[in-house]
Amino acid sequence: MQKKKIIIDCDPGYDDAVAILLAAGNPLIDVLAITTVAGNQTLEKVTRNALRIAKLAHLDHVPIAAGAARPLLRDQIVVAANIHGESGLDGTTLPEADYRVDCRHAAELIVETIMAEPEKSVTLVPIGPLTNIALAARLEPKIVDRVKEVVLMGGGFHIGNVKPMAEFNIENDPEAAHIVFEEKWPIVMVGLDLTYQALATAAVKKEIAGIDSQAAHFLTQVLTRFSENYKRSKGFDEPPVHDPCAVAYVIDPMVMQTRKAVVHVECWGRYSNGMTVTDLRRPAPEDCHTSVAIKLDQTRFWNLITDAVKNL
Ligand code: PIR
Ligand code: CA
């Protein structure tokens, strides 16, 4: 069986951690590299978290490289400490990683990994601000033709979270997102419209709490704290577990319904900065290279998560 090769670019973060567990525990996925970007917490903190999650998930053979410590043009406006805590993973226990971060910059590791693999065999899975992906596309423009596709968590065509119309990963570095969306690689935007259907319900948490593995115990801690923080800071009864939705799409595209649509990132709007402006007025033109995720098969999605942590 030919596994699906992916690079995860992340800022862990509770839901990033779930995405890494899903990728590590699913037999169809081969994680070639993990790269980190400042977002939910500082670069230093999210990189330490990535190393420790990778250790727990038996991915310690995978190169992990740190990337951008700040957005391309703007000041880093937010680290999401209200949601992810001071460490980025407050309230969870992880092994200390006894191996080191790769000496390359994330953008270099992304480029070298894609160029070393056969054409159209690697899928990029960005689940944080898009700074590293934009840098990689500028560092080696050939990667744009060479990747299979970019399946990213970010944006939303009808809703935002940090602003009325802007989602955190896009809002944090809109210029980087603009670069990524204007390149002609196939992009699947798994945005808030979709991830707000991936709620960690009481039933889901109960099922995971019943699984006896180190990964399942960690996942229970993650979902417990994520729920508390989402309740306290945003009033959600159940938290949307965003990032694993992108990984789930790579594993099984049937887990969600998507639709082709032209997407542009607003970088100059007065109230709409960071918005992923999506044209849903009519069928997309032939040459449209972007699609947006619309509807999640929730049962199928949570089964993927529970199966993955059983395997770890
Ligand atoms: C989630 C995130 C940031 C802020 C909030 N409030 C919630 C992170 C998640 O890790 C995900 O990648 C994306 N950004 C969702 O906006
Ligand atoms: Ca994230």
Side-chain angles (χ1 to χ4, degrees):
M1 175 188 57
Q2 185 64 31
K3 288 196 179 191
K4 299 179 182 188
K5 298 176 197 167
I6 69 169
I7 299 172
I8 302 176
D9 184 69
C10 58
D11 60 338
Y14 295 118
D15 56 324
D16 299 78
V18 184
I20 295 170
L21 293 182
L22 173 58
N26 185 281
L28 284 174
I29 295 290
D30 185 5
V31 181
L32 300 183
I34 297 174
T35 52
T36 58
V37 59
N40 286 326
Q41 261 300 350
T42 63
L43 183 66
E44 199 183 340
K45 290 179 183 178
V46 300
T47 304
R48 173 165 180 262
N49 292 342
L51 286 164
R52 298 167 80 204
I53 299 160
K55 167 114 182 168
L56 175 83
H58 313 301
L59 288 177
D60 27 342
H61 57 284
V62 168
I64 299 180
R70 51 158 293 174
L72 296 181
L73 297 186
R74 298 173 196 247
D75 292 330
Q76 197 179 358
I77 38 163
V78 263
V79 287
N82 57 333
I83 292 284
H84 301 268
E86 277 310 313
S87 69
L89 286 173
D90 279 11
T92 67
T93 43
L94 279 169
E96 208 43 67
D98 45 17
Y99 61 106
R100 289 170 60 97
V101 66
D102 197 278
C103 63
R104 288 166 284 185
H105 187 281
E108 290 177 296
L109 178 59
I110 290 169
V111 165
E112 286 175 21
T113 305
I114 293 169
M115 298 312 287
E117 295 290 332
E119 220 171 314
K120 316 262 188 229
S121 69
V122 178
T123 299
L124 261 175
V125 185
I127 54 179
L130 291 163
T131 323
N132 290 337
I133 312 301
L135 288 172
R138 289 294 183 262
L139 181 62
E140 179 47 273
K142 289 197 190 91
I143 67 167
V144 172
D145 275 337
R146 202 168 175 90
V147 296
K148 184 170 178 209
E149 60 183 345
V150 181
V151 180
L152 64 90
M153 191 283 133
F157 51 78
H158 88 293
I159 197 169
N161 58 0
V162 289
K163 289 203 303 198
M165 288 311 292
E167 181 277 330
F168 180 94
N169 292 345
I170 307 295
E171 166 73 6
N172 237 288
D173 195 344
E175 284 75 20
H178 172 77
I179 290 173
V180 170
F181 274 89
E182 296 302 319
E183 292 294 344
K184 294 293 175 247
W185 42 21
I187 296 179
V188 181
M189 178 177 100
V190 181
L192 294 174
D193 326 275
L194 187 290
T195 64
Y196 277 178
Q197 300 165 54
L199 302 175
T201 60
V204 160
K205 283 186 275 194
K206 188 163 173 234
E207 185 179 353
I208 292 165
I211 304 170
D212 190 21
S213 73
Q214 216 194 343
H217 295 317
F218 170 68
L219 181 54
T220 293
Q221 294 175 335
V222 163
L223 295 179
T224 304
R225 288 302 286 262
F226 202 41
S227 302
E228 288 167 10
N229 296 355
Y230 245 101
K231 176 83 189 171
R232 185 176 21 80
S233 94
K234 293 183 182 284
F236 280 53
D237 284 329
E238 291 157 344
V241 189
H242 310 278
D243 291 338
C245 296
V247 176
Y249 177 84
V250 180
I251 296 167
D252 175 11
M254 298 294 283
V255 78
M256 61 188 74
Q257 190 192 317
T258 61
R259 175 176 164 186
K260 269 196 165 201
V262 173
V263 179
H264 296 295
V265 177
E266 179 58 84
C267 295
W268 303 279
R270 184 169 173 192
Y271 301 110
S272 56
N273 230 25
M275 178 177 178
T276 43
V277 179
T278 306
D279 193 350
L280 296 168
R281 292 171 300 169
R282 56 178 77 93
E286 250 334 286
D287 62 352
C288 175
H289 66 104
T290 43
S291 44
V292 296
I294 303 214
K295 188 159 185 345
L296 181 70
D297 182 334
Q298 299 175 13
T299 311
R300 214 155 160 155
F301 172 73
W302 286 109
N303 282 340
L304 288 175
I305 305 268
T306 50
D307 286 348
V309 288
K310 283 178 195 161
N311 289 336
L312 284 172

